[in-house]
Amino acid sequence: MKYFPFLLALLIVGCQNTKTGYQDQKTGTMGDSAMVVTTHPLATQVGLEVLRNGGNAIDAAIAIQFSLAVVYPVAGNIGGGGFAVIRTKDGDFHTLDFREKAPKRAYRDMFLDRDGNVVEGSSTLGHKAAGVPGTVDGMFKLHEKFGSVPMEDLIQPAINQAVAGVEISSFDAFNINKYQEAFREVNRDSIHFLKNGEWKEGDSLFHNELAGTLSFIRDFGRDGFYGGLVANQIVAECLTNGGFISKEDLRDYNAVWREPIVGEYRGYKVVSMPPPSSGGVAIMQLLQGAEEYPINKWGHNSPDAIHLMTELERRVYADRATFLGDPDHYDVPTKMLLSEDYNEERFDNIDLKAATPSEDIKEGKVDIIESVETTHFSVVDKWGNAVSLTTTLNGYFGCKVMVKGAGFFLNNEMDDFSAKPGVPNYFGLVGAEANAIKPEKRMLSSMTPTIVEKDGELSMVIGTPGGATIITSVFQTILNVVDHGMTMQEAINVPKVHHQWLPDRILYERSQLDTATIIQLIEMGHDVEDRGALGRMDCILVHPNGQIEGATDRRGGGAAMGY
Ligand code: GLY
């Protein structure tokens, strides 16, 4: 009878635990000099052309960002924001924060009803959910510092794609069909994503209004978006529909160069994004904890390795919820969270044989959405410059509002704030005072664009979409390469697991963990639950012989191209 509860639990989580599919491919696309990996072949092509024509990795990244706004409208954007980590050919690191900001008229309880409860959907759907977009200012800041090709030439490919029309994939068709009702609900007039009947793979979307907006940006620079006609269109869209974004918000938006977060892991130098991303701090805490243990000896996805990662993750995500927010508005204790003394003590009570239960979720159990929203891309040029860039509207198509006349979606990034301490957001993440809503504050993010060096040379360019699961996907990818000696393609394709403190359970990819491992984890005291894909990584690994491997995730439809 001892095993009865475990077997019962297995029945609940599903018994189809045979490994299939993901493990087949050994290496990604190989190149001698340069590599581009994005979630869409047309965006990859645009980046590669920039590199072939003599542009550098930063030029390519800018062109890719604008192209993704056209060819990958679920998450590519000019109405959202993101983060970029850059390593120059000389080995200098820079991090750019072009995260959205809360509008000046935003206030702490803006998503609560009179009784102080969160109004369901208010932070995710419709105009109030939108933060002030940062992408366009971000691209101009990148260009100002590192660009070598005229900005017009980096925007033009996206304009051409918008006018020529883009054939949609089955993935696009599924998502555009899924949100038809939401598009109708929040847009007063028809938008070109609406259709009587179903969208099908191979249908074309023509983005004429977006082409017009991109032309304004090409011709008038930053002011072509944050001023003039486009700004008027954004403000009219928001203020006449209950949204908060004003002319002053757009005028004053500024992307910020921040001090990178730097750590070490088994002789590798790891560089990632500081707050308002939680990614860099969390990754460095996780790696500090992992370094103490013989992960390679335990084996990839062995019960011991999964147990250790889970115990580290539950502590780090608890820290995330309490301590992390926008450093311009809250005194984030970054130094403390990265200190060896702090982490030694933090992880000291890990029992290698038994789970430490997370606190109960008082607000009830949260269903995590099977989501790879957001998008990431990686670029390396022939000189050795590298860009790791993650960008997002938050949910697919953001708040589902398309700016009338301007042809692009606004984000729903306001949901990344903690609308009410302890109440989980869209990704099931809870937060506290550090991430409370305040005018002009940036909402906390999990986006973790990361670059890794070995012996002073570029080694990895990593990142992924996936909301709360971004940090743990990046963490596992580093362990897979460093501890388990995998190529980048293997590191990406092998099954992943995830734990985020609350809700207290290990997520694993459906049918991708064997039954014996699951039983052992349950015996250690863990709850386990299966779900769809974890992560959708587009990454680069420089092999010891100098060859550059570009790897796109088999869970998605991306493309790696190099030369
Ligand atoms: N919107 C998802 C994130 O920034 O983590």
Side-chain angles (χ1 to χ4, degrees):
M1 285 311 281
K2 185 176 162 227
Y3 282 90
F4 181 72
F6 310 133
L7 293 175
L8 189 67
L10 264 187
L11 275 178
I12 293 165
V13 298
C15 292
Q16 303 291 310
N17 297 309
T18 46
K19 295 182 189 176
T20 52
Y22 289 145
Q23 290 86 354
D24 307 345
Q25 207 179 330
K26 278 273 169 237
T27 50
T29 303
M30 302 304 290
D32 296 322
S33 305
M35 185 61 61
V36 179
V37 196
T38 86
T39 198
H40 198 293
L42 292 175
T44 300
Q45 190 68 49
V46 163
L48 191 71
E49 284 303 308
V50 171
L51 296 184
R52 280 196 190 282
N53 292 334
N56 63 34
I58 295 89
D59 295 319
I62 294 167
I64 291 167
Q65 173 77 46
F66 283 114
S67 171
L68 284 171
V70 177
V71 302
Y72 194 68
V74 288
N77 67 81
I78 54 172
F83 299 121
V85 177
I86 293 150
R87 179 189 182 274
T88 67
K89 59 184 189 318
D90 305 318
D92 296 329
F93 285 92
H94 304 264
T95 49
L96 182 70
D97 165 2
F98 55 99
R99 182 72 162 162
E100 300 91 327
K101 293 172 89 166
K104 293 176 198 279
R105 294 201 311 150
Y107 54 94
R108 187 191 169 96
D109 295 340
M110 61 188 275
F111 297 117
L112 306 187
D113 65 17
R114 279 190 195 161
D115 299 326
N117 299 316
V118 177
V119 180
E120 207 187 319
S122 61
S123 63
T124 51
L125 185 66
H127 301 73
K128 239 171 100 172
V132 183
T135 293
V136 175
D137 193 55
M139 294 309 104
F140 279 91
K141 288 261 166 45
L142 280 179
H143 191 258
E144 194 178 86
K145 203 173 180 87
F146 296 110
S148 71
V149 171
M151 195 64 161
E152 304 88 86
D153 297 348
L154 303 177
I155 301 175
Q156 192 60 44
I159 298 173
N160 297 345
Q161 287 172 325
V163 172
V166 184
E167 267 191 27
I168 62 172
S169 63
S170 58
F171 166 85
D172 296 325
F174 173 83
N175 283 298
I176 299 171
N177 288 328
K178 180 173 166 186
Y179 292 113
Q180 291 287 296
E181 203 183 309
F183 293 148
R184 284 199 175 87
E185 190 179 329
V186 298
N187 290 283
R188 282 192 192 197
D189 299 306
S190 186
I191 65 170
H192 66 291
F193 282 69
L194 282 171
K195 184 176 182 175
N196 291 324
E198 296 267 294
W199 288 92
K200 292 186 305 299
E201 180 182 0
D203 286 349
S204 286
L205 268 173
F206 296 89
H207 304 281
N208 294 324
E209 289 181 344
L210 178 57
T213 300
L214 290 168
S215 305
F216 271 102
I217 300 169
R218 177 197 60 197
D219 297 341
F220 299 103
R222 182 198 179 280
D223 291 344
F225 183 86
Y226 294 97
L229 177 68
V230 177
N232 286 341
Q233 288 168 325
I234 298 171
V235 172
E237 179 65 57
C238 289
L239 297 189
T240 55
N241 291 288
F244 288 0
I245 298 174
S246 66
K247 264 191 177 168
E248 293 70 31
D249 284 320
L250 294 168
R251 183 197 61 203
D252 295 346
Y253 180 84
N254 61 325
V256 187
W257 292 103
R258 297 197 186 271
E259 207 49 46
I261 298 279
V262 183
E264 289 263 323
Y265 182 66
R266 302 197 200 280
Y268 287 75
K269 178 174 172 179
V270 182
V271 181
S272 194
M273 198 64 213
S277 171
S278 58
V281 171
I283 276 289
M284 299 315 165
Q285 286 189 273
L286 291 168
L287 291 173
Q288 277 191 40
E291 198 161 24
E292 304 301 311
Y293 297 95
I295 290 171
N296 167 270
K297 202 174 111 207
W298 288 342
H300 177 257
N301 274 357
S302 61
D304 285 340
I306 295 175
H307 171 69
L308 174 71
M309 290 192 294
T310 300
E311 293 307 313
L312 295 171
E313 285 162 6
R314 81 167 86 241
R315 287 161 177 80
V316 167
Y317 273 78
D319 281 353
R320 177 196 192 280
T322 310
F323 296 121
L324 295 185
D326 181 352
D328 296 341
H329 290 261
Y330 186 84
D331 200 5
V332 180
T334 303
K335 218 168 141 198
M336 175 193 87
L337 291 170
L338 296 177
S339 82
E340 273 179 37
D341 288 350
Y342 174 80
N343 286 310
E344 221 174 274
E345 201 180 316
R346 188 76 175 111
F347 302 136
D348 192 45
N349 62 355
I350 289 180
D351 181 337
L352 287 182
K353 295 288 166 223
T356 323
S358 297
E359 285 174 20
D360 291 341
I361 310 165
K362 295 183 187 68
E363 290 75 18
K365 192 163 157 37
V366 184
D367 284 331
I368 265 241
I369 289 106
E370 295 191 3
S371 152
V372 286
E373 299 161 39
T374 302
T375 186
H376 174 85
F377 58 88
S378 303
V379 186
V380 173
D381 68 24
K382 65 182 177 189
W383 298 284
N385 299 296
V387 179
S388 179
L389 193 152
T390 313
T391 180
T392 188
L393 288 166
N394 195 27
Y396 279 152
F397 309 108
C399 67
K400 320 293 184 274
V401 171
M402 177 164 283
V403 177
K404 190 173 174 203
F408 65 89
F409 289 105
L410 287 172
N411 65 83
N412 59 354
E413 221 71 62
M414 291 298 286
D415 186 65
D416 272 348
F417 279 116
S418 170
K420 183 180 176 183
V423 176
N425 74 359
Y426 185 53
F427 293 108
L429 289 165
V430 288
E433 189 55 37
N435 191 32
I437 303 173
K438 229 175 121 183
E440 298 191 85
K441 187 176 174 183
R442 288 172 156 93
M443 53 297 282
L444 187 61
S445 172
S446 299
M447 293 189 285
T448 315
T450 299
I451 295 182
V452 181
E453 253 186 14
K454 176 87 168 118
D455 302 328
E457 302 290 331
L458 179 66
S459 172
M460 292 179 241
V461 186
I462 320 174
T464 182
T469 70
I470 291 175
I471 297 166
T472 54
S473 293
V474 170
F475 177 45
Q476 287 167 87
T477 303
I478 295 174
L479 298 192
N480 289 346
V481 173
V482 174
D483 292 80
H484 301 298
M486 295 183 191
T487 64
M488 187 53 83
Q489 193 65 58
E490 291 170 317
I492 287 175
N493 284 350
V494 290
K496 293 199 187 65
V497 291
H498 172 75
H499 193 285
Q500 61 181 53
W501 176 49
L502 297 174
D504 186 359
R505 44 93 181 96
I506 299 172
L507 291 178
Y508 70 96
E509 293 181 286
R510 195 158 298 131
S511 309
Q512 301 288 313
L513 266 193
D514 56 51
T515 308
T517 302
I518 292 173
I519 288 179
Q520 220 168 312
L521 289 168
I522 293 169
E523 280 185 319
M524 286 172 164
H526 296 287
D527 277 344
V528 290
E529 193 178 309
D530 67 346
R531 62 168 278 171
L534 287 168
R536 185 167 167 172
M537 310 199 67
D538 289 302
C539 306
I540 293 171
L541 173 68
V542 182
H543 287 237
N545 65 2
Q547 282 259 298
I548 307 170
E549 179 191 3
T552 186
D553 205 315
R554 297 191 55 180
R555 299 163 183 85
M561 298 178 196
Y563 64 87

